Amino acid sequence: YRLPPAVIATLRAERIGPEHGDLLQRLPKAELHSHLGGMIDLPGQRQAAEAVWESGTAQMRRRWQETAGLLESRTKDRWPDQWPGLLAGDERAGNVAAVFQRWSDEELEERLFSPTEPRQALVAGHPLGFAAYELPGELCGSALLTNPLAIAPYAAACYNSCIAQGLRRAEWRGSPLKYDREDPLRFLQRLCDGIKAARAPLDPEGPLCEVVFILIADRRRPEWMPEFARLACAAARAFPDFVVGIDLAG
């Protein structure tokens, strides 16, 4: 409001359009609510899935393919609510890696994202309600991140996306208890290592984008809350410059 009244009037009236693309790209930005399980595009997801796929033996890959193949008999409108039960289990990451092997980008776009548009109308306008919003995030990353080999390429894709958007600070959030039940601190260490590896060739003189992490507690898992509290305290001590807060989701 220290600007001249005519400038203020112009700013109020002017609409953002394609002609402002370069300006918007150059502006320094912060993103404060990025869920780790669904923040990268399909090429980034494919890269992480490929790391999981390459780790499997021929026998494991056949088993993963058989599980993923069960989806091919399902129609598009049944995809969102049927695939989690089919692909879950001890080999979630491998099963999902097989999905990326079998389906084209167009097929995945249709099945992952079309059911969740428009997101604002999901509760009232989609037969699955809010569940239609949550389920795609599982395939977009949450299942893959249970495999240690997927973490580094996934972190790199996330960081590269931040740089491409012109972000100077990004707050990623996720649930290490879901990604690594045995040792959630180990997951955070691998994630940090993945970010550092992605940074090295891009910003050797200092981070172009500061990345911090917020721990998610799932309100649907009240039995996990004591464990989550212990994790939060331990993570704050182990990663004081990375873990900056906690929140609730679910």
Side-chain angles (χ1 to χ4, degrees), residues 94-143:
N95 293 335
V96 170
V99 169
F100 281 97
Q101 289 285 323
R102 298 178 76 99
W103 294 86
S104 67
D105 284 357
E106 292 75 16
E107 289 168 324
L108 285 167
E109 289 276 359
E110 173 67 26
R111 288 158 176 78
L112 284 176
F113 305 124
S114 294
T116 66
E117 298 292 347
R119 296 188 177 193
Q120 294 87 342
L122 277 176
V123 174
H126 195 284
L128 296 179
F130 189 69
Y133 174 83
E134 294 188 295
L135 295 178
E138 178 81 1
L139 187 60
C140 291
S142 293

Short mmCIF file of all heavy atoms in Angstrom, two decimals, residues 94-143:
data_model
loop_
_atom_site.label_atom_id
_atom_site.label_comp_id
_atom_site.label_asym_id
_atom_site.label_seq_id
_atom_site.Cartn_x
_atom_site.Cartn_y
_atom_site.Cartn_z
N GLY A 94 7.39 -54.14 -5.37
CA GLY A 94 7.59 -54.93 -6.58
C GLY A 94 6.33 -55.04 -7.41
O GLY A 94 6.37 -54.95 -8.65
N ASN A 95 5.19 -55.24 -6.76
CA ASN A 95 3.93 -55.31 -7.47
C ASN A 95 3.64 -54.01 -8.22
O ASN A 95 3.20 -54.01 -9.38
CB ASN A 95 2.79 -55.61 -6.50
CG ASN A 95 2.89 -56.99 -5.89
OD1 ASN A 95 3.49 -57.88 -6.48
ND2 ASN A 95 2.30 -57.17 -4.72
N VAL A 96 3.90 -52.90 -7.55
CA VAL A 96 3.66 -51.60 -8.18
C VAL A 96 4.68 -51.35 -9.30
O VAL A 96 4.34 -50.78 -10.34
CB VAL A 96 3.71 -50.48 -7.13
CG1 VAL A 96 3.70 -49.10 -7.78
CG2 VAL A 96 2.51 -50.60 -6.18
N ALA A 97 5.92 -51.79 -9.10
CA ALA A 97 6.92 -51.66 -10.18
C ALA A 97 6.46 -52.40 -11.42
O ALA A 97 6.68 -51.95 -12.55
CB ALA A 97 8.27 -52.19 -9.70
N ALA A 98 5.81 -53.55 -11.23
CA ALA A 98 5.30 -54.30 -12.37
C ALA A 98 4.17 -53.55 -13.07
O ALA A 98 4.03 -53.65 -14.30
CB ALA A 98 4.80 -55.67 -11.90
N VAL A 99 3.37 -52.81 -12.32
CA VAL A 99 2.32 -51.98 -12.94
C VAL A 99 2.95 -50.97 -13.90
O VAL A 99 2.48 -50.77 -15.02
CB VAL A 99 1.49 -51.27 -11.87
CG1 VAL A 99 0.59 -50.21 -12.49
CG2 VAL A 99 0.63 -52.27 -11.11
N PHE A 100 4.03 -50.34 -13.45
CA PHE A 100 4.71 -49.36 -14.31
C PHE A 100 5.33 -50.04 -15.53
O PHE A 100 5.50 -49.41 -16.57
CB PHE A 100 5.76 -48.60 -13.52
CG PHE A 100 5.20 -47.50 -12.67
CD1 PHE A 100 4.94 -47.70 -11.32
CD2 PHE A 100 4.90 -46.26 -13.22
CE1 PHE A 100 4.42 -46.69 -10.53
CE2 PHE A 100 4.38 -45.25 -12.45
CZ PHE A 100 4.14 -45.46 -11.10
N GLN A 101 5.71 -51.30 -15.40
CA GLN A 101 6.23 -52.03 -16.54
C GLN A 101 5.14 -52.31 -17.57
O GLN A 101 5.39 -52.32 -18.78
CB GLN A 101 6.85 -53.35 -16.07
CG GLN A 101 8.14 -53.21 -15.29
CD GLN A 101 9.32 -52.87 -16.18
OE1 GLN A 101 9.43 -53.34 -17.31
NE2 GLN A 101 10.22 -52.04 -15.67
N ARG A 102 3.93 -52.55 -17.13
CA ARG A 102 2.86 -53.03 -18.00
C ARG A 102 2.07 -51.91 -18.66
O ARG A 102 1.58 -52.08 -19.77
CB ARG A 102 1.88 -53.91 -17.20
CG ARG A 102 2.50 -55.16 -16.61
CD ARG A 102 1.47 -55.94 -15.81
NE ARG A 102 0.57 -56.66 -16.68
CZ ARG A 102 0.69 -57.95 -16.97
NH1 ARG A 102 1.69 -58.64 -16.47
NH2 ARG A 102 -0.17 -58.55 -17.76
N TRP A 103 1.92 -50.78 -17.98
CA TRP A 103 0.98 -49.76 -18.43
C TRP A 103 1.70 -48.56 -19.03
O TRP A 103 2.76 -48.15 -18.56
CB TRP A 103 0.11 -49.29 -17.27
CG TRP A 103 -0.79 -50.37 -16.74
CD1 TRP A 103 -0.47 -51.30 -15.79
CD2 TRP A 103 -2.14 -50.64 -17.13
NE1 TRP A 103 -1.53 -52.14 -15.58
CE2 TRP A 103 -2.57 -51.75 -16.37
CE3 TRP A 103 -3.01 -50.06 -18.04
CZ2 TRP A 103 -3.84 -52.29 -16.50
CZ3 TRP A 103 -4.28 -50.59 -18.16
CH2 TRP A 103 -4.69 -51.69 -17.41
N SER A 104 1.10 -47.99 -20.07
CA SER A 104 1.66 -46.80 -20.71
C SER A 104 1.35 -45.57 -19.87
O SER A 104 0.52 -45.61 -18.95
CB SER A 104 1.04 -46.61 -22.10
OG SER A 104 -0.34 -46.29 -21.98
N ASP A 105 2.03 -44.45 -20.19
CA ASP A 105 1.75 -43.20 -19.48
C ASP A 105 0.28 -42.81 -19.63
O ASP A 105 -0.34 -42.34 -18.67
CB ASP A 105 2.63 -42.07 -20.03
CG ASP A 105 4.06 -42.19 -19.53
OD1 ASP A 105 4.35 -43.10 -18.73
OD2 ASP A 105 4.89 -41.35 -19.95
N GLU A 106 -0.27 -42.98 -20.83
CA GLU A 106 -1.66 -42.60 -21.05
C GLU A 106 -2.61 -43.42 -20.18
O GLU A 106 -3.57 -42.88 -19.61
CB GLU A 106 -2.03 -42.78 -22.53
CG GLU A 106 -1.33 -41.82 -23.48
CD GLU A 106 0.14 -42.18 -23.72
OE1 GLU A 106 0.52 -43.34 -23.40
OE2 GLU A 106 0.89 -41.31 -24.20
N GLU A 107 -2.33 -44.72 -20.08
CA GLU A 107 -3.19 -45.58 -19.26
C GLU A 107 -3.08 -45.22 -17.78
O GLU A 107 -4.08 -45.19 -17.05
CB GLU A 107 -2.82 -47.04 -19.49
CG GLU A 107 -3.21 -47.56 -20.86
CD GLU A 107 -2.58 -48.90 -21.17
OE1 GLU A 107 -1.43 -49.15 -20.76
OE2 GLU A 107 -3.25 -49.71 -21.83
N LEU A 108 -1.86 -44.92 -17.34
CA LEU A 108 -1.68 -44.56 -15.95
C LEU A 108 -2.32 -43.21 -15.64
O LEU A 108 -2.93 -43.02 -14.59
CB LEU A 108 -0.19 -44.54 -15.60
CG LEU A 108 0.46 -45.92 -15.44
CD1 LEU A 108 1.97 -45.80 -15.41
CD2 LEU A 108 -0.05 -46.62 -14.19
N GLU A 109 -2.14 -42.24 -16.54
CA GLU A 109 -2.78 -40.93 -16.35
C GLU A 109 -4.28 -41.09 -16.19
O GLU A 109 -4.90 -40.49 -15.31
CB GLU A 109 -2.47 -40.01 -17.55
CG GLU A 109 -1.04 -39.53 -17.64
CD GLU A 109 -0.79 -38.30 -16.79
OE1 GLU A 109 -1.75 -37.82 -16.15
OE2 GLU A 109 0.36 -37.83 -16.77
N GLU A 110 -4.89 -41.91 -17.05
CA GLU A 110 -6.32 -42.11 -17.01
C GLU A 110 -6.76 -42.74 -15.70
O GLU A 110 -7.74 -42.32 -15.09
CB GLU A 110 -6.74 -43.00 -18.19
CG GLU A 110 -8.21 -43.43 -18.18
CD GLU A 110 -9.16 -42.26 -18.40
OE1 GLU A 110 -8.75 -41.26 -19.02
OE2 GLU A 110 -10.30 -42.36 -17.94
N ARG A 111 -6.03 -43.74 -15.25
CA ARG A 111 -6.46 -44.48 -14.07
C ARG A 111 -6.07 -43.82 -12.75
O ARG A 111 -6.74 -43.99 -11.74
CB ARG A 111 -5.91 -45.91 -14.15
CG ARG A 111 -6.62 -46.74 -15.21
CD ARG A 111 -5.78 -47.91 -15.65
NE ARG A 111 -6.51 -48.76 -16.59
CZ ARG A 111 -6.69 -48.47 -17.88
NH1 ARG A 111 -6.19 -47.35 -18.37
NH2 ARG A 111 -7.36 -49.29 -18.66
N LEU A 112 -4.97 -43.07 -12.77
CA LEU A 112 -4.52 -42.44 -11.53
C LEU A 112 -5.19 -41.11 -11.27
O LEU A 112 -5.58 -40.81 -10.14
CB LEU A 112 -3.01 -42.25 -11.57
CG LEU A 112 -2.15 -43.48 -11.34
CD1 LEU A 112 -0.69 -43.12 -11.50
CD2 LEU A 112 -2.39 -44.05 -9.95
N PHE A 113 -5.29 -40.29 -12.30
CA PHE A 113 -5.65 -38.90 -12.06
C PHE A 113 -7.07 -38.53 -12.49
O PHE A 113 -7.68 -37.66 -11.87
CB PHE A 113 -4.64 -37.98 -12.76
CG PHE A 113 -3.22 -38.26 -12.36
CD1 PHE A 113 -2.25 -38.57 -13.30
CD2 PHE A 113 -2.84 -38.26 -11.03
CE1 PHE A 113 -0.95 -38.86 -12.93
CE2 PHE A 113 -1.55 -38.55 -10.65
CZ PHE A 113 -0.59 -38.84 -11.60
N SER A 114 -7.60 -39.19 -13.50
CA SER A 114 -8.95 -38.85 -13.94
C SER A 114 -10.00 -39.05 -12.84
O SER A 114 -10.89 -38.22 -12.69
CB SER A 114 -9.33 -39.66 -15.18
OG SER A 114 -8.53 -39.28 -16.27
N PRO A 115 -9.92 -40.13 -12.03
CA PRO A 115 -10.94 -40.30 -11.00
C PRO A 115 -10.93 -39.23 -9.92
O PRO A 115 -11.89 -39.09 -9.17
CB PRO A 115 -10.60 -41.68 -10.39
CG PRO A 115 -9.80 -42.36 -11.43
CD PRO A 115 -9.03 -41.29 -12.11
N THR A 116 -9.82 -38.47 -9.82
CA THR A 116 -9.72 -37.49 -8.73
C THR A 116 -9.97 -36.06 -9.21
O THR A 116 -9.68 -35.12 -8.48
CB THR A 116 -8.34 -37.56 -8.07
OG1 THR A 116 -7.34 -37.15 -9.02
CG2 THR A 116 -8.04 -38.96 -7.61
N GLU A 117 -10.49 -35.88 -10.40
CA GLU A 117 -10.80 -34.54 -10.89
C GLU A 117 -12.30 -34.37 -11.07
O GLU A 117 -12.96 -35.25 -11.62
CB GLU A 117 -10.10 -34.29 -12.23
CG GLU A 117 -8.58 -34.33 -12.15
CD GLU A 117 -7.98 -33.18 -11.35
OE1 GLU A 117 -8.71 -32.21 -11.07
OE2 GLU A 117 -6.81 -33.27 -10.99
N PRO A 118 -12.89 -33.25 -10.64
CA PRO A 118 -12.25 -32.20 -9.85
C PRO A 118 -12.17 -32.60 -8.38
O PRO A 118 -13.11 -33.14 -7.81
CB PRO A 118 -13.20 -31.01 -10.03
CG PRO A 118 -14.53 -31.64 -10.22
CD PRO A 118 -14.29 -32.94 -10.96
N ARG A 119 -11.04 -32.33 -7.75
CA ARG A 119 -10.83 -32.79 -6.39
C ARG A 119 -11.81 -32.16 -5.40
O ARG A 119 -12.21 -32.79 -4.43
CB ARG A 119 -9.40 -32.47 -5.96
CG ARG A 119 -8.37 -33.23 -6.78
CD ARG A 119 -6.97 -33.08 -6.26
NE ARG A 119 -6.06 -33.88 -7.06
CZ ARG A 119 -4.81 -34.14 -6.71
NH1 ARG A 119 -4.34 -33.68 -5.58
NH2 ARG A 119 -4.04 -34.88 -7.48
N GLN A 120 -12.21 -30.92 -5.66
CA GLN A 120 -13.09 -30.25 -4.71
C GLN A 120 -14.45 -30.93 -4.60
O GLN A 120 -15.13 -30.80 -3.61
CB GLN A 120 -13.30 -28.78 -5.13
CG GLN A 120 -12.04 -27.94 -5.07
CD GLN A 120 -11.22 -28.01 -6.34
OE1 GLN A 120 -11.39 -28.92 -7.15
NE2 GLN A 120 -10.32 -27.06 -6.52
N ALA A 121 -14.83 -31.67 -5.62
CA ALA A 121 -16.16 -32.27 -5.64
C ALA A 121 -16.15 -33.75 -5.30
O ALA A 121 -17.16 -34.43 -5.43
CB ALA A 121 -16.80 -32.07 -7.02
N LEU A 122 -15.01 -34.26 -4.81
CA LEU A 122 -14.91 -35.70 -4.62
C LEU A 122 -15.90 -36.24 -3.60
O LEU A 122 -16.54 -37.26 -3.82
CB LEU A 122 -13.49 -36.06 -4.16
CG LEU A 122 -12.45 -36.20 -5.26
CD1 LEU A 122 -11.08 -36.45 -4.65
CD2 LEU A 122 -12.80 -37.32 -6.20
N VAL A 123 -16.01 -35.56 -2.47
CA VAL A 123 -16.82 -36.12 -1.39
C VAL A 123 -18.26 -36.30 -1.83
O VAL A 123 -18.90 -37.32 -1.57
CB VAL A 123 -16.73 -35.21 -0.15
CG1 VAL A 123 -17.69 -35.70 0.93
CG2 VAL A 123 -15.30 -35.22 0.39
N ALA A 124 -18.77 -35.31 -2.57
CA ALA A 124 -20.17 -35.38 -2.98
C ALA A 124 -20.34 -36.00 -4.37
O ALA A 124 -21.40 -36.55 -4.66
CB ALA A 124 -20.78 -33.98 -2.97
N GLY A 125 -19.30 -35.91 -5.21
CA GLY A 125 -19.49 -36.26 -6.61
C GLY A 125 -18.87 -37.55 -7.06
O GLY A 125 -19.02 -37.93 -8.22
N HIS A 126 -18.14 -38.26 -6.21
CA HIS A 126 -17.50 -39.51 -6.62
C HIS A 126 -18.01 -40.65 -5.75
O HIS A 126 -18.15 -40.48 -4.53
CB HIS A 126 -15.98 -39.39 -6.49
CG HIS A 126 -15.22 -40.46 -7.20
ND1 HIS A 126 -15.11 -41.74 -6.72
CD2 HIS A 126 -14.55 -40.46 -8.38
CE1 HIS A 126 -14.39 -42.47 -7.55
NE2 HIS A 126 -14.03 -41.72 -8.56
N PRO A 127 -18.30 -41.80 -6.34
CA PRO A 127 -18.85 -42.91 -5.54
C PRO A 127 -17.94 -43.36 -4.40
O PRO A 127 -18.41 -43.90 -3.40
CB PRO A 127 -19.06 -44.03 -6.56
CG PRO A 127 -18.23 -43.65 -7.75
CD PRO A 127 -18.22 -42.16 -7.77
N LEU A 128 -16.63 -43.11 -4.54
CA LEU A 128 -15.71 -43.50 -3.47
C LEU A 128 -15.46 -42.39 -2.47
O LEU A 128 -14.77 -42.58 -1.48
CB LEU A 128 -14.36 -43.93 -4.07
CG LEU A 128 -14.37 -45.16 -4.96
CD1 LEU A 128 -12.98 -45.43 -5.48
CD2 LEU A 128 -14.89 -46.36 -4.20
N GLY A 129 -16.01 -41.20 -2.74
CA GLY A 129 -15.80 -40.08 -1.84
C GLY A 129 -14.33 -39.72 -1.74
O GLY A 129 -13.58 -39.75 -2.72
N PHE A 130 -13.89 -39.39 -0.53
CA PHE A 130 -12.52 -38.93 -0.34
C PHE A 130 -11.50 -40.03 -0.61
O PHE A 130 -10.34 -39.75 -0.90
CB PHE A 130 -12.34 -38.41 1.09
CG PHE A 130 -11.03 -37.72 1.32
CD1 PHE A 130 -10.75 -36.51 0.72
CD2 PHE A 130 -10.05 -38.30 2.11
CE1 PHE A 130 -9.53 -35.87 0.92
CE2 PHE A 130 -8.83 -37.68 2.32
CZ PHE A 130 -8.57 -36.45 1.73
N ALA A 131 -11.92 -41.29 -0.54
CA ALA A 131 -10.98 -42.38 -0.80
C ALA A 131 -10.41 -42.29 -2.21
O ALA A 131 -9.28 -42.70 -2.46
CB ALA A 131 -11.67 -43.73 -0.61
N ALA A 132 -11.17 -41.75 -3.16
CA ALA A 132 -10.67 -41.61 -4.53
C ALA A 132 -9.49 -40.65 -4.59
O ALA A 132 -8.64 -40.75 -5.47
CB ALA A 132 -11.79 -41.12 -5.45
N TYR A 133 -9.44 -39.72 -3.65
CA TYR A 133 -8.33 -38.77 -3.62
C TYR A 133 -7.07 -39.44 -3.07
O TYR A 133 -5.96 -39.19 -3.53
CB TYR A 133 -8.70 -37.58 -2.73
CG TYR A 133 -7.59 -36.60 -2.49
CD1 TYR A 133 -7.32 -35.60 -3.41
CD2 TYR A 133 -6.80 -36.66 -1.35
CE1 TYR A 133 -6.30 -34.69 -3.19
CE2 TYR A 133 -5.79 -35.77 -1.12
CZ TYR A 133 -5.54 -34.77 -2.05
OH TYR A 133 -4.52 -33.89 -1.83
N GLU A 134 -7.24 -40.32 -2.07
CA GLU A 134 -6.08 -40.88 -1.39
C GLU A 134 -5.42 -42.03 -2.15
O GLU A 134 -4.21 -42.18 -2.13
CB GLU A 134 -6.51 -41.39 -0.01
CG GLU A 134 -6.94 -40.28 0.94
CD GLU A 134 -7.16 -40.83 2.34
OE1 GLU A 134 -8.07 -41.65 2.50
OE2 GLU A 134 -6.41 -40.44 3.23
N LEU A 135 -6.22 -42.85 -2.81
CA LEU A 135 -5.68 -44.07 -3.39
C LEU A 135 -4.61 -43.83 -4.45
O LEU A 135 -3.61 -44.55 -4.49
CB LEU A 135 -6.82 -44.93 -3.95
CG LEU A 135 -7.79 -45.47 -2.89
CD1 LEU A 135 -8.91 -46.25 -3.56
CD2 LEU A 135 -7.06 -46.34 -1.89
N PRO A 136 -4.75 -42.86 -5.35
CA PRO A 136 -3.68 -42.66 -6.34
C PRO A 136 -2.33 -42.36 -5.72
O PRO A 136 -1.30 -42.75 -6.25
CB PRO A 136 -4.20 -41.48 -7.18
CG PRO A 136 -5.67 -41.57 -7.05
CD PRO A 136 -5.91 -42.01 -5.64
N GLY A 137 -2.31 -41.67 -4.58
CA GLY A 137 -1.04 -41.36 -3.93
C GLY A 137 -0.27 -42.59 -3.53
O GLY A 137 0.96 -42.58 -3.46
N GLU A 138 -0.97 -43.67 -3.28
CA GLU A 138 -0.31 -44.92 -2.91
C GLU A 138 0.57 -45.42 -4.05
O GLU A 138 1.74 -45.74 -3.88
CB GLU A 138 -1.37 -45.97 -2.56
CG GLU A 138 -0.82 -47.33 -2.21
CD GLU A 138 -0.33 -47.42 -0.77
OE1 GLU A 138 -0.44 -46.42 -0.05
OE2 GLU A 138 0.19 -48.47 -0.39
N LEU A 139 0.01 -45.44 -5.26
CA LEU A 139 0.78 -45.91 -6.41
C LEU A 139 1.80 -44.88 -6.84
O LEU A 139 2.87 -45.22 -7.35
CB LEU A 139 -0.16 -46.24 -7.57
CG LEU A 139 0.48 -46.89 -8.79
CD1 LEU A 139 1.12 -48.22 -8.42
CD2 LEU A 139 -0.54 -47.11 -9.88
N CYS A 140 1.50 -43.60 -6.64
CA CYS A 140 2.42 -42.54 -7.06
C CYS A 140 3.71 -42.52 -6.25
O CYS A 140 4.66 -41.87 -6.64
CB CYS A 140 1.75 -41.17 -6.94
SG CYS A 140 0.43 -40.89 -8.11
N GLY A 141 3.75 -43.21 -5.13
CA GLY A 141 5.00 -43.18 -4.39
C GLY A 141 5.02 -43.94 -3.10
O GLY A 141 6.04 -44.51 -2.72
N SER A 142 3.92 -43.96 -2.37
CA SER A 142 3.95 -44.55 -1.04
C SER A 142 4.37 -46.01 -1.06
O SER A 142 5.14 -46.46 -0.21
CB SER A 142 2.58 -44.40 -0.38
OG SER A 142 2.29 -43.04 -0.13
N ALA A 143 3.87 -46.78 -2.01
CA ALA A 143 4.24 -48.19 -2.10
C ALA A 143 5.70 -48.33 -2.54
O ALA A 143 6.45 -49.14 -1.99
CB ALA A 143 3.32 -48.93 -3.06
#
